[in-house]
Each structure stands twice: as C-alpha cells, then as structure tokens.
Amino acid sequence: EYGYPQRLSWTILELEPLLREAIEHHRPMADRNGIDLQLRVEGALPAISADSEGLQSAFIRMIGLVLQQEGPGGRVLLSVVSTRHGNRAVIYGHLDFSSTKFKDVDPARLFEPFYFRVSGLGRLTLPGARRVFESHGGTLTAGPGPEGSIRISFVLPSELTYPLRSVDQP
C-alpha cells in the first residue's frame, strides 16, 4: 500500500492507454471545475515493464493532487514523448499546471512527506508516486515550469529486450 509495486502483477504494457485512463478518471472533476485537462503524446511510446495498477494509481493520484490545487479556468497538461538514453528508449513526460499554490514551493523539497501542505492524504501523494517511479527504474522530479510555476517531470525506461545468442556464440 505504500507505493511499493506488487512484483507478481508486473506485465509488459503500453503506457499511453494507462495515461488516457488516468486522465479520463479525472475528466468529470475537471469539467465540473472548469479546468482544461489534456494529455499530449508525441509519437509512439515503447512498451514498459510495470506494475500496471501501481503505476496507474500513482498517475491518478498525482493528477488528482494537481487538479485539486487548480482554480476555474486553469490548465493541466500531461505531455509525454519517447527519447533515447544511451542505447535504451525511455519515456519522458511532464505535468504542467497553472496553479499559483505551487508558486512559493521549493521543488527540491516538494517530495518530502509533510512539506507541501494539503488536506487528507494528499501530502503523501508525491512521495508515494516517487517511490513507484523509482521502483520501475525511473525518476520523478520537480523543477521550474512555464510562467514561474512548477513542472513535475518523470522518466520511465522501456522494456528491456536482450538479443538472444545462438548456442555456438560465446
């Protein structure tokens, strides 16, 4: 329950449908509050090896936390693209939002459990999400975003594929 992926539930999956489900999960709240919620995927994304429930839950909670801080007329955009890191494809993404509630937040401390004050269990959302991303071999960080806001960025490695060698090769 503390963000640790369940090893028995790992599978090879496509990330885009999981992201679309996370966005659609929050569509009613975004529409009700007049928030422009978008997903932008550039190009095809490689498959990843993941605990689909744990990863989807991390995205749902992270997007939900940002939406709760957003006011009417605000915008939340999740952008995702595939890129290369050495010989491996990785998925890079970031969550941009217009809320000024993050304006004076120190990005280096945003993932500390009790630094960012929100009601309920929201203060544990980002530390838990970071744990999930790291357990998948990725990262979850925060830094400066557009117009003085904060941008939450993530990297997830693609599925490892090892070429098979023939029996007579060393």
Side-chain angles (χ1 to χ4, degrees):
E1 282 293 325
Y2 292 95
Y4 293 107
Q6 304 301 310
R7 289 285 173 198
L8 296 178
S9 66
W10 280 54
T11 186
I12 304 302
L13 62 90
E14 298 297 323
L15 186 62
E16 186 173 349
L18 184 141
L19 296 175
R20 290 199 185 286
E21 288 177 24
I23 291 290
E24 291 309 312
H25 177 85
H26 290 294
R27 180 76 55 210
M29 180 173 60
D31 291 346
R32 188 173 50 250
N33 295 332
I35 299 168
D36 181 20
L37 176 61
Q38 294 182 24
L39 170 65
R40 182 180 305 146
V41 178
E42 295 180 31
L45 301 178
I48 63 171
S49 176
D51 166 21
S52 62
E53 286 183 30
L55 192 58
Q56 184 173 37
S57 177
F59 276 111
I60 286 173
R61 289 179 180 165
M62 193 167 55
I63 293 166
L65 175 70
V66 169
L67 279 174
Q68 289 172 8
Q69 309 311 309
E70 203 58 54
R75 181 176 185 203
V76 175
L77 172 64
L78 178 59
S79 299
V80 186
V81 66
S82 176
T83 188
R84 298 215 59 85
H85 186 278
N87 291 333
R88 190 170 188 183
V90 296
I91 297 172
Y92 169 77
H94 57 268
L95 189 59
D96 288 326
F97 40 94
S98 57
S99 175
T100 58
K101 293 181 181 179
F102 288 88
K103 195 168 188 104
D104 296 322
V105 172
D106 178 1
R109 297 190 61 205
L110 186 61
F111 297 95
E112 293 177 12
F114 299 101
Y115 173 71
F116 184 64
R117 300 282 181 189
V118 293
S119 62
L121 295 174
R123 69 179 136 255
L124 298 176
T125 295
L126 293 175
R130 176 178 261 180
R131 189 176 305 126
V132 169
F133 280 81
E134 288 174 350
S135 69
H136 283 80
T139 60
L140 184 65
T141 58
E147 301 175 16
S149 66
I150 287 185
R151 170 179 278 175
I152 298 174
S153 301
F154 68 90
V155 175
L156 287 169
S158 66
E159 169 197 10
L160 277 177
T161 54
Y162 298 100
L164 295 175
R165 289 188 242 163
S166 67
V167 178
D168 57 2
Q169 283 184 329

